Amino acid sequence: QRMVHRILSRTDILPTNKEQEVMSLLCDLTRGSPVLADIASEVVCAYCEGGDNDVAMERLMMEVIQPSLVANGTKDDLLAHACILVGGLNLDRVEHLTLCSLAMYGSCPVPSDILTKISGIILSALPNCQYTEDHVVQQLLKRRLVKLHPSMVLAAPAMSYASTLYQVPQLVIDAILHGTKDAEIVLAAGIAHKAIVSKIPHGDHAHVTPTTAQRPHMRPPTM
């Protein structure tokens, strides 16, 4: 129901037998995970953007569902399915590197200014890219790869926290880092570190080191 409501509200798919079969197989692919159900919905919507739903259903069967059937029953089938679904979103290099950089913080909440700073660092190295920082952030939110974190509950009524917090689900982190080359992991860690350092008052930078939670065997990159 979670998937079908989202898909039917954003596409003109008619629930014929063929479409119902695809939806049923996609539901099996999520293994009951709300995170994967949301991503699966976005995969269907992305495939249907071309307007030809019959072609979209055939591509979904061939490119997403059939590879999942191969992974079905393996030891890490949930991770394998997550990788297939995230891959079905066809992230471009800016979105992929932004998500990898966010993954360096683990599943802890990330302030909005850090998220936009990360995309800004990446875009500054791509002068010909037409994206804006907000576009990258909105694309990750739209595709359900980044989610709003619940508001903080503060002990003192006088305290306030104005920044919006975001969070990357752990299953998405595992999927986006799975199979990613070490060189890109190092780059992502460097970007994540630079984004944090940029928000720290001058003189306190020496106390901050890049996180190595995702690859504990790796030596932190020197910034």
Side-chain angles (χ1 to χ4, degrees), residues 23-35:
M23 298 303 169
S24 177
L25 290 170
L26 281 173
C27 285
D28 292 341
L29 187 59
T30 67
R31 288 293 188 267
S33 167
V35 171

Side-chain angles (χ1 to χ4, degrees), residues 3 33 42 60 85 102 105 184 211 222:
M3 286 177 52
S33 167
E42 294 304 320
L60 277 168
L85 286 172
L102 283 172
Y105 302 130
E184 190 169 7
T211 178
T222 302

Side-chain angles (χ1 to χ4, degrees), residues 103-106 177 210-217:
M104 296 297 102
Y105 302 130
L177 295 181
T211 178
T212 56
Q214 299 302 326
R215 296 289 181 92
H217 64 283

Side-chain angles (χ1 to χ4, degrees), residues 134-153:
D134 185 63
H135 172 81
V136 178
V137 173
Q138 291 305 315
Q139 283 295 100
L140 294 178
L141 285 168
K142 174 186 174 183
R143 294 173 176 181
R144 314 294 290 179
L145 298 171
V146 176
K147 297 188 175 184
L148 283 172
H149 188 271
S151 301
M152 295 179 64
V153 177

Side-chain angles (χ1 to χ4, degrees), residues 24-178:
S24 177
L25 290 170
L26 281 173
C27 285
D28 292 341
L29 187 59
T30 67
R31 288 293 188 267
S33 167
V35 171
L36 293 188
D38 287 342
I39 294 175
S41 302
E42 294 304 320
V43 170
V44 175
C45 293
Y47 271 69
C48 292
E49 286 179 353
D52 192 328
N53 292 333
D54 289 336
V55 173
M57 293 301 108
E58 291 177 4
R59 288 183 57 214
L60 277 168
M61 284 293 295
M62 185 169 51
E63 300 173 8
V64 177
I65 294 174
Q66 289 181 0
S68 75
L69 296 177
V70 176
N72 187 32
T74 63
K75 181 179 180 181
D76 298 318
D77 62 343
L78 183 60
L79 176 58
H81 294 166
C83 291
I84 292 168
L85 286 172
V86 172
L89 294 173
N90 294 317
L91 299 180
D92 62 31
R93 59 176 180 167
V94 174
E95 295 162 349
H96 184 270
L97 185 54
T98 299
L99 193 57
C100 282
S101 300
L102 283 172
M104 296 297 102
Y105 302 130
S107 57
C108 63
V110 178
S112 57
D113 52 350
I114 296 294
L115 178 51
T116 54
K117 183 64 179 180
I118 286 175
S119 60
I121 292 171
I122 296 170
L123 292 174
S124 66
L126 301 169
N128 295 325
C129 183
Q130 301 300 312
Y131 284 172
T132 63
E133 297 172 5
D134 185 63
H135 172 81
V136 178
V137 173
Q138 291 305 315
Q139 283 295 100
L140 294 178
L141 285 168
K142 174 186 174 183
R143 294 173 176 181
R144 314 294 290 179
L145 298 171
V146 176
K147 297 188 175 184
L148 283 172
H149 188 271
S151 301
M152 295 179 64
V153 177
L154 302 174
M159 296 175 64
S160 63
Y161 191 80
S163 181
T164 303
L165 297 176
Y166 296 101
Q167 184 180 34
V168 182
Q170 186 60 51
L171 192 53
V172 173
I173 293 173
D174 295 340
I176 201 68
L177 295 181
H178 183 75

Side-chain angles (χ1 to χ4, degrees), residues 174-194:
D174 295 340
I176 201 68
L177 295 181
H178 183 75
T180 301
K181 295 180 180 179
D182 286 347
E184 190 169 7
I185 295 293
V186 172
L187 177 59
I191 293 170
H193 177 253
K194 186 174 182 179

